[in-house]
Amino acid sequence: MKWQKLQKVVFVVFLVLTISLFLLFQILGYDIDSEGIRQYLKDFGVWAPIVFIILYTLGTFFIPATPFMIAAGILFGFKYGLIYTIISGFFSSTIVFYISRKLGKEWVENILEHRYLKHLNEYNKRLETGAILDIMILRMTPIMTFNALNVLMGVSRITTRDYIVGTVLGLIPTNVLTVYLGTFVTKIF
């Protein structure tokens, strides 16, 4: 019984922290020193891609991925920038998904049993079978933030396999466009 209460508390703290830092980033804006980040990563030499993947993976827990994707295009060019952002996006989304699954799924399942949430519960049950297309569409459309989707899918009944396949396939189109934008910027300036 104590573990379940602790689990709820940790999950709520995780959600509050994620939402708070995201909102803080939105308030402070996108005033990021891209040249400073570029130089910082260049200083790592051959380790720059690994450092970038770690920074992107951990950074996108709390802030949008767009600045990282653009930076990848600027720093590594289109081909490698795309590869690094897909790897990083996969790691980031899977970690948040897993944390949400372990800490919040059971709690949300109990909430969805309420009769007023019947339709939401039916959709949740449908996610158990073949939700790859659902997650792909949700990844490609700007309906909700990346982490909100990770958390929601983590507490849903979607299978881990469908989540991972849908996430990777859904990441590709937006990453292609955004990384190319970063690459394009280097050609102009």
Side-chain angles (χ1 to χ4, degrees):
M1 192 69 155
K2 278 191 169 190
W3 167 244
Q4 289 176 337
K5 281 188 177 188
L6 179 63
Q7 196 174 6
K8 285 180 191 176
V9 169
V10 171
F11 181 65
V12 169
V13 168
F14 173 71
L15 283 178
V16 168
L17 183 64
T18 301
I19 292 167
S20 300
L21 289 172
F22 175 77
L23 290 174
L24 182 65
F25 180 78
Q26 292 301 320
I27 292 167
L28 296 177
Y30 286 85
D31 191 23
I32 296 172
D33 179 16
S34 57
E35 189 55 42
I37 294 171
R38 184 181 202 171
Q39 189 55 49
Y40 178 75
L41 284 171
K42 275 187 174 183
D43 291 344
F44 284 99
V46 72
W47 294 99
I50 293 169
V51 171
F52 176 81
I53 289 170
I54 292 168
L55 289 173
Y56 181 117
T57 300
L58 298 177
T60 55
F61 284 5
F62 309 111
I63 63 173
T66 305
F68 288 101
M69 289 189 275
I70 292 171
I74 293 169
L75 295 168
F76 305 110
F78 179 72
K79 179 178 158 186
Y80 291 109
L82 181 62
I83 291 168
Y84 301 152
T85 59
I86 290 172
I87 291 169
S88 304
F90 165 76
F91 285 152
S92 176
S93 63
T94 303
I95 291 168
V96 173
F97 172 84
Y98 184 74
I99 290 169
S100 300
R101 170 88 15 127
K102 291 299 173 195
L103 297 178
K105 185 176 184 226
E106 189 177 305
W107 185 36
V108 170
E109 289 274 330
N110 291 334
I111 293 170
L112 289 178
E113 293 299 321
H114 195 276
R115 66 183 175 144
Y116 295 113
L117 298 173
K118 186 175 117 180
H119 295 294
L120 196 55
N121 196 27
E122 288 172 9
Y123 181 72
N124 191 32
K125 288 178 182 175
R126 192 187 72 69
L127 286 174
E128 285 181 303
T129 57
I132 293 173
L133 186 59
D134 292 84
I135 192 75
M136 282 176 56
I137 290 170
L138 289 169
R139 285 275 180 233
M140 289 187 274
T141 54
I143 294 172
M144 67 181 69
T145 64
F146 196 72
N147 268 341
L149 184 59
N150 297 336
V151 170
L152 286 174
M153 290 298 115
V155 297
S156 75
R157 291 187 178 184
I158 190 171
T159 64
T160 303
R161 180 193 153 282
D162 283 358
Y163 174 78
I164 288 172
V165 171
T167 291
V168 171
L169 293 176
L171 285 174
I172 292 171
T174 54
N175 285 24
V176 164
L177 293 173
T178 312
V179 171
Y180 183 75
L181 174 65
T183 306
F184 183 70
V185 166
T186 62
K187 292 178 181 177
I188 294 173
F189 300 105

